[in-house]
Amino acid sequence: VKYREVNGKSLRLDVYAPSKRLGESPWVVYDKNPKPVLLYFHGGGWRNGEKESRTLEILPYVAKDWVVVTANYRLLSEATLPEIIGDCRTALDWVVRHSERYGIDRSKIFLAGNSAGAHLALMTGLIKEDGYFGSDIQSGEIPKIAGIINWYGITDVARFVDDWKDKETLWDGISSFEEICEKTSPLTYVSADSPPIFTVHGTSDSVVPFVHAQLLQKRLEALGRKNVLYEVPNRKHGNFTEEEMTQIYQEIWKFIAEIE
């Protein structure tokens, strides 16, 4: 489904929704009983990747009859980092506007992503003002986020891009490097009313170092916000075993049950 047209580019998302096939027109009827929704963003350092790459990551939610939405967004070759965040906020607005069609319970909107996608999920769930990011908000509503599942995400942009030789790709050159990093870092937006956050992070991650998770946990706990940091000892950037993944999802369902 196309959710945004920007600078001549169509941005699309996939919807996985419980439905019945009728064998005749209208062919498919969606289950209208209110259910949770997960909006998932792929990783790739904001430079590459696509929504189809993380299909297996969403199957546990599909199996529980959630609605799941996976969204593409512009990459750094096409947009600045604030504009990429704006795309993701626009995808969230699309979910809100189409909640009735797919039977979405708007009190149970969850966000998730891996790596750079987790950064985008965090930003999408934490920020409250869209003007800086150029979001296309048509509903006029800033939804309350039930929770965020952060898979080894970037929380401090300055730390992540410190050794980049092409830092200028992050922004349009008008703002300073320090300002752009501050305004695009999830740590900046953690507040006393931030949604619950479940973080999964390998302690030996060299791509997004474990300190990103620790800094986020420290900020959330200082404000008394519900959060879980699930450490995966000696694991790198998502190279978790089958047994570890099984345990992680058990903890995620426990976390979600406590929220509900």
Side-chain angles (χ1 to χ4, degrees):
V1 179
K2 181 172 77 171
Y3 75 88
R4 188 179 196 188
E5 182 82 24
V6 57
N7 296 335
K9 183 178 179 66
S10 295
L11 297 177
R12 295 186 172 270
L13 51 80
D14 292 336
V15 183
Y16 300 77
S19 62
K20 290 183 179 180
R21 297 193 177 276
L22 305 179
E24 60 184 6
S25 181
W27 304 108
V28 174
V29 175
Y30 294 108
D31 178 3
K32 295 300 180 69
N33 292 318
K35 60 190 73 66
V37 62
L38 180 78
L39 175 57
Y40 192 99
F41 299 109
H42 68 81
W46 311 304
R47 297 175 184 268
N48 53 64
E50 63 287 316
K51 54 185 168 54
E52 294 82 5
S53 66
R54 310 310 295 182
T55 300
L56 294 180
E57 302 288 346
I58 66 170
L59 291 183
Y61 305 92
V62 173
K64 286 186 175 290
D65 282 338
W66 284 37
V67 175
V68 180
V69 178
T70 58
N72 275 344
Y73 47 84
R74 286 174 291 173
L75 304 174
L76 283 178
S77 59
E78 307 163 306
T80 65
L81 185 53
E83 289 171 333
I84 291 171
I85 294 166
D87 290 343
C88 296
R89 289 282 293 179
T90 303
L92 173 61
D93 185 67
W94 185 97
V95 169
V96 171
R97 290 188 291 109
H98 293 82
S99 57
E100 184 175 348
R101 172 177 172 81
Y102 296 106
I104 292 169
D105 183 343
R106 292 207 281 189
S107 70
K108 296 181 179 179
I109 299 176
F110 290 82
L111 304 171
N114 67 297
S115 192
H119 162 268
L120 295 174
L122 289 165
M123 288 296 296
T124 300
L126 291 173
I127 64 176
K128 298 179 178 63
E129 298 292 336
D130 287 279
Y132 178 77
F133 302 96
S135 315
D136 182 10
I137 306 299
Q138 298 179 31
S139 67
E141 178 181 342
I142 303 298
K144 181 177 176 61
I145 302 303
I148 303 173
I149 313 300
N150 164 32
W151 293 84
Y152 42 92
I154 300 153
T155 63
D156 183 341
V157 171
R159 285 176 182 269
F160 181 67
V161 304
D162 182 57
D163 61 351
W164 282 21
K165 293 181 173 58
D166 57 349
K167 294 184 178 111
E168 67 278 1
T169 59
L170 292 175
W171 79 106
D172 56 14
I174 298 175
S175 305
S176 67
F177 175 70
E178 291 74 19
E179 181 183 7
I180 200 72
C181 289
E182 179 184 9
K183 288 190 173 182
T184 59
S185 290
L187 289 175
T188 301
Y189 300 93
V190 173
S191 67
D193 61 352
S194 292
I197 298 175
F198 187 100
T199 296
V200 182
H201 215 118
T203 60
S204 298
D205 193 332
S206 61
V207 179
V208 181
F210 185 61
V211 66
H212 283 262
Q214 293 173 308
L215 289 170
L216 179 62
Q217 181 190 43
K218 182 178 179 180
R219 188 73 57 87
L220 288 165
E221 291 190 342
L223 291 167
R225 301 308 301 154
K226 180 175 178 57
N227 78 99
V228 171
L229 171 51
Y230 189 91
E231 302 180 19
V232 190
N234 304 315
R235 288 298 173 190
K236 300 178 183 178
H237 199 57
N239 67 323
F240 310 139
T241 67
E242 181 179 342
E243 292 77 13
E244 288 166 342
M245 288 294 287
T246 298
Q247 183 62 39
I248 289 168
Y249 272 105
Q250 288 176 350
E251 294 300 321
I252 288 173
W253 300 133
K254 178 181 175 183
F255 175 78
I256 290 172
E258 291 173 353
I259 294 171
E260 295 178 329

